[in-house]
């Protein structure tokens, strides 16, 4: 399913360098439709909001990580998880501010822990599956 999301969103990556590290036959305990929505939202965020050139997708130790090498988020967004609040938009964002909120709610429904890290080297979102 993760691979299908990448393939279905190939046009997004036209001007990006994509690094993929996914073992074969990964099973995650999440319904396919919800997983597709979560991964698609995170990929779109990495493309549209990062202003970086690279996107890294990795699955290791039951954790899916989608990372970019953009400018990162202001500390207030990550320090108290405000990035996951509905209506919260980053600087210069043209989005609605519901994407990460939706990601968080869908992940909670399936007991998937969501963590976000941001710094000078970009933003990383980690989904830890039980």
């Amino acid at each position: 399913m993760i691979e299908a999301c990448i393939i279905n969103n190939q046009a997004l990556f036209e001007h990006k360098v994509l690094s993929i590290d996914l073992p074969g036959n990964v099973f995650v305990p999440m319904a396919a439709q919800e997983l597709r929505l979560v991964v698609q939202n995170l990929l779109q965020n990495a493309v549209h909001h990062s202003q970086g050139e690279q996107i890294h997708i990795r699955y290791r130790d039951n954790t899916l990580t989608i990372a970019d090498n953009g400018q990162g988020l202001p500390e207030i967004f990550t320090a108290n998880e405000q990035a996951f609040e509905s209506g919260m938009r980053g600087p210069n964002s043209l989005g609605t501010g519901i994407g990460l909120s939706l990601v968080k709610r869908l992940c909670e429904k399936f007991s998937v822990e969501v963590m976000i890290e941001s710094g000078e080297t970009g933003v990383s979102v980690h989904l830890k599956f039980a």
Side-chain angles (χ1 to χ4, degrees), residues 61-64 111-115 126-130:
D61 299 325
N62 293 328
T63 302
L64 175 66
S111 300
V112 177
E113 184 180 359
V114 183
M115 299 156 284
H126 310 280
L127 307 179
K128 182 152 183 71
F129 297 92

Side-chain angles (χ1 to χ4, degrees), residues 6 8 18 24 28 31 36 45 48 50 59 61 64-65 68 70 74 81 88 91 93 95 101 108 113 116 122 125:
I6 295 167
N8 290 338
L18 195 59
V28 295
R36 182 182 54 77
N45 281 353
H48 294 302
S50 75
Y59 187 86
D61 299 325
L64 175 66
T65 300
D68 63 59
E81 295 195 347
M88 188 58 73
S93 173
S101 174
E108 287 173 346
E113 184 180 359
I116 189 167
V125 179

Side-chain angles (χ1 to χ4, degrees), residues 57-105:
I57 304 165
R58 180 181 70 227
Y59 187 86
R60 188 175 298 144
D61 299 325
N62 293 328
T63 302
L64 175 66
T65 300
I66 298 177
D68 63 59
N69 69 335
Q71 63 189 17
L73 291 169
E75 186 177 340
I76 191 167
F77 283 85
T78 56
N80 56 9
E81 295 195 347
Q82 276 190 341
F84 297 112
E85 292 181 15
S86 186
M88 188 58 73
R89 295 179 356 171
N92 306 316
S93 173
L94 300 176
T96 61
I98 62 170
L100 285 178
S101 174
L102 177 65
V103 165
K104 180 82 167 173
R105 286 183 290 167

